[in-house]
Amino acid sequence: MTLIGWAQIALVLACVVAAAVPLGRYMAAVAAGRVTFLAPVERVVYAAAGIDPRQAQGWRGYTLAMLAANAAGFLLLYALLRGQAVLPLNPQGLDGLTPWLAFNTAVSFVTNTNWQAYGGESALSYFSQMAGLTVQNFLSAATGMALALAVCRAFARSGVKDLGNFWSDLVRMTLYVLVPLSLLVGFAFVAMGMPQTLAPFAEATTLEGARQVIPLGPAAFQIAIKHLGTNGGGFFGMNSAHPFEGPTALTSALQIWSQQVIPFALALTFGAIVGDIRQGRALLLVMLAYVLAGTWAVYGSEAGGNPLHLALGIDAAQGNMEGKEVRFGQALVALFTATTTGASCGAVNAMFESFMPLGGLVPLFLIQLGEVLPGGVGSGLYGMLVFALLAVFVAGLMVGRTPEYLGKKVQAREVKLAMLAVLVLPAAILGFTAVALVLPAAVASIPATGPHGLSEMLYAYSSAAGNNGSAFGGITADTPWMDVTLGIAMMLGRFAYAVPVMAIAGSLAAKPRVAESVGSFPTHGPLFVGLLAGVILILGGLQFMPALALGPLAEHVSLLAGKTF
């Protein structure tokens, strides 16, 4: 680790926080309907879709609308991927995806996971990338933001049943937040050298006289929403490690900024909606602390080098550079890794398969902590609020008082629903991993043996259920078993988590909001910040440390002993 490296990390995070402050206020204004400069476009959308944006929805109506929208999105994307060969904008003549792969990919992009069991530019046409994946990049991100706004309103309102209107929230978050930001970032990416063209793949002749095909395509604007929406699905198979997706260190820094700015800003949006910005700052501090801790852990592990290489006398100055790009350096790789896995983005600018065991443990554990640090756009905020409810419950147990959060009494119903949501991830991750590790058809997908093989399988299901989408690159994901079970894990991680969260929101909205008293536990100070961070860590540790001990931790011990698998 170097001082220059930490200066780069500090500069990028400072830019994120600086932009998150005004963006958080702006999104609160959008949620309240005070931003109207695109009102004519809104009216056209509402009229075309038959939507009445003034119709209030309770938690059941809001949730059913969300599920219906995502079901329709899945069916349309599945049909598009299967029929790709006969659709336009397919200059390479690519065939449609197989039923299993189309199912996996459609679920992946609808759930904001963007797990890619296909080869990027070698499997999908321009039309599939633009009309299919890019559209879902916007809609899945806007869905998460809409759910987060509904939960925010539950804390702000008193004695009511309605949480807003899902369709209105979906449209407004898309029009006023995601589209403008994507245009700005997309034009910046084009200026930095990313391709944005409908021309066929280019052909070149190498110095040796061989023919080389260079993939192109409408990449820049898809990459913009890929990061801003914490989607993570790369236009090219190598994702942000590809020289067209990550041409320079500056583009990598902008990608880090893009995948962090909305999740951080939403924490401040929460504070603005509930009328106490300090509440949002407390959540933001926990998120930022974990990002820094994860960055430090990855940076230290990778900068320390490979013990096997050091034993051979290889210079340790560059650290472990296997699977990394020299144009980014260890610092930006470490920050990118911590932010993409903590933010439920899943984009990568290095290959996690090549990380040191402890370096690979960090992104795996950040996913398993619930994807709330800062989490995906919207999903990170409502996931963090679930942990906040559990934190005040723990505080209430310690002092013998009925817990409350922002004037809302937290009772048995809310705690049970919060635990139901929290248990979705370990049930899906550990359950599917355990079954896969004893099935020959599933074990055949992992080329490694021993602890590293376990880590590959554990990471795959963690990434799917956590709606992250990154992977330990060695696994063969495009098999019927992996396509189907990973798809199911993605749906559980998205919808089986969201439904109890919305039930919590409905319960809290109906409760009266009582005034804070001298006996109320303050939820904006350092004590609450530490308690919330501790609850997240303890729950993650209790659920996943045994599996991690058999995977990356066991591999680390073996590596120190000079053994490999």
Side-chain angles (χ1 to χ4, degrees):
M1 293 190 285
T2 66
L3 183 61
I4 292 177
W6 277 110
Q8 292 175 339
I9 292 169
L11 178 61
V12 174
L13 290 179
C15 291
V16 171
V17 174
V21 173
L23 181 59
R25 297 195 192 100
Y26 171 74
M27 287 192 291
V30 172
R34 297 194 300 270
V35 180
T36 59
F37 64 89
L38 290 175
V41 180
E42 276 191 84
R43 287 193 291 270
V44 170
V45 174
Y46 295 145
I51 297 170
D52 180 3
R54 297 165 297 180
Q55 181 181 359
Q57 294 174 320
W59 79 266
R60 290 182 180 85
Y62 202 102
T63 305
L64 288 173
M66 179 272 295
L67 293 174
N70 282 270
F74 165 77
L75 292 174
L76 290 172
L77 181 55
Y78 179 83
L80 188 154
L81 296 174
R82 292 284 289 134
Q84 173 179 266
V86 297
L87 293 172
L89 296 177
N90 185 9
Q92 305 308 122
L94 299 173
D95 292 331
L97 302 188
T98 64
W100 306 115
L101 184 55
F103 166 79
N104 180 277
T105 304
V107 170
S108 177
F109 279 80
V110 167
T111 59
N112 199 245
T113 307
N114 295 50
W115 171 272
Q116 294 178 281
Y118 61 91
E121 73 279 13
S122 64
L124 294 187
S125 68
Y126 294 168
F127 187 80
S128 295
Q129 297 261 29
M130 291 190 299
L133 305 191
T134 304
V135 168
Q136 283 304 318
N137 282 348
F138 279 99
L139 294 181
S140 65
T143 295
M145 297 169 76
L147 294 177
L149 294 180
V151 176
C152 292
R153 295 186 187 112
F155 286 100
R157 296 176 178 179
S158 180
V160 299
K161 292 185 177 180
D162 75 275
L163 297 174
N165 182 284
F166 171 76
W167 305 108
S168 175
D169 289 338
L170 186 76
V171 170
R172 290 182 63 79
M173 286 297 107
T174 302
L175 287 180
Y176 289 102
V177 180
L178 295 175
V179 169
L181 281 175
S182 296
L183 287 172
L184 289 174
V185 174
F187 280 120
F189 282 157
V190 171
M192 292 176 179
M194 289 189 191
Q196 181 67 29
T197 178
L198 295 177
F201 289 0
E203 294 187 9
T205 302
T206 67
L207 294 177
E208 294 81 8
R211 174 179 170 271
Q212 182 178 3
V213 176
I214 302 173
L216 300 171
F221 286 93
Q222 180 178 323
I223 295 166
I225 187 58
K226 152 192 164 180
H227 291 280
L228 286 164
T230 60
N231 294 284
F235 186 94
F236 301 100
M238 290 299 293
N239 212 284
S240 292
H242 193 285
F244 286 172
E245 282 206 32
T248 65
L250 184 59
T251 57
S252 191
L254 181 55
Q255 288 172 4
I256 295 170
W257 180 90
S258 299
Q259 63 199 21
Q260 293 283 286
V261 67
I262 296 179
F264 276 128
L266 278 170
L268 301 177
T269 298
F270 169 71
I273 290 176
V274 301
D276 187 352
I277 197 65
R278 298 175 300 174
Q279 304 294 336
R281 289 187 193 135
L283 301 183
L284 190 149
L285 284 174
V286 175
M287 297 171 177
L288 185 59
Y290 270 102
V291 168
L292 285 170
T295 302
W296 171 80
V298 175
Y299 196 4
S301 174
E302 300 306 302
N306 188 324
L308 299 179
H309 294 170
L310 300 181
L312 296 174
I314 296 176
D315 184 12
Q318 296 300 316
N320 175 38
M321 285 301 295
E322 182 183 354
K324 301 181 182 68
E325 291 289 340
V326 294
R327 63 184 187 272
F328 302 145
Q330 295 282 8
L332 284 183
V333 166
L335 181 58
F336 199 114
T337 300
T339 56
T340 195
T341 49
S344 182
C345 180
V348 294
N349 70 349
M351 296 297 105
F352 296 167
E353 177 84 4
S354 300
F355 279 19
M356 302 305 299
L358 293 185
L361 180 148
V362 174
L364 177 57
F365 194 46
L366 285 173
I367 296 172
Q368 292 170 344
L369 287 177
E371 291 290 37
V372 296
L373 307 164
V377 287
S379 61
L381 176 59
Y382 64 69
M384 179 64 83
L385 291 173
V386 168
F387 280 109
L389 294 177
L390 294 176
V392 297
F393 173 70
V394 171
L397 291 177
M398 290 191 292
V399 300
R401 290 178 56 88
T402 301
E404 63 180 65
Y405 187 54
L406 301 180
K408 301 281 187 173
K409 296 292 185 182
V410 181
Q411 296 172 306
R413 173 178 170 80
E414 291 78 36
V415 174
K416 290 176 183 178
L417 287 169
M419 286 307 304
L420 177 62
V422 167
L423 290 174
V424 166
L425 283 185
I429 293 169
L430 299 178
F432 276 120
T433 301
V435 173
L437 288 174
V438 297
L439 289 180
V443 173
S445 291
I446 50 175
T449 59
H452 193 75
L454 187 150
S455 296
E456 288 181 335
M457 189 67 77
L458 181 64
Y459 197 103
Y461 286 106
S462 298
S463 180
N467 299 141
N468 184 269
S470 60
F472 270 24
I475 194 168
T476 301
D478 185 17
T479 67
W481 168 268
M482 298 301 293
D483 281 337
V484 172
T485 57
L486 288 170
I488 294 172
M490 294 175 210
M491 287 190 286
L492 289 174
R494 181 70 161 184
F495 303 120
Y497 193 102
V499 171
V501 170
M502 292 303 293
I504 293 173
S507 178
L508 291 175
K511 293 184 177 184
R513 190 175 183 184
V514 299
E516 185 176 316
S517 68
V518 292
S520 299
F521 177 59
T523 55
H524 54 75
L527 181 60
F528 177 73
V529 169
L531 177 63
L532 178 56
V535 166
I536 295 170
L537 183 62
I538 291 170
L539 280 176
L542 289 175
Q543 294 167 156
F544 295 106
M545 280 309 295
L548 295 174
L550 295 173
L553 290 176
E555 186 180 3
H556 174 70
V557 172
S558 299
L559 190 62
L560 293 179
K563 298 178 182 179
T564 58
F565 293 90

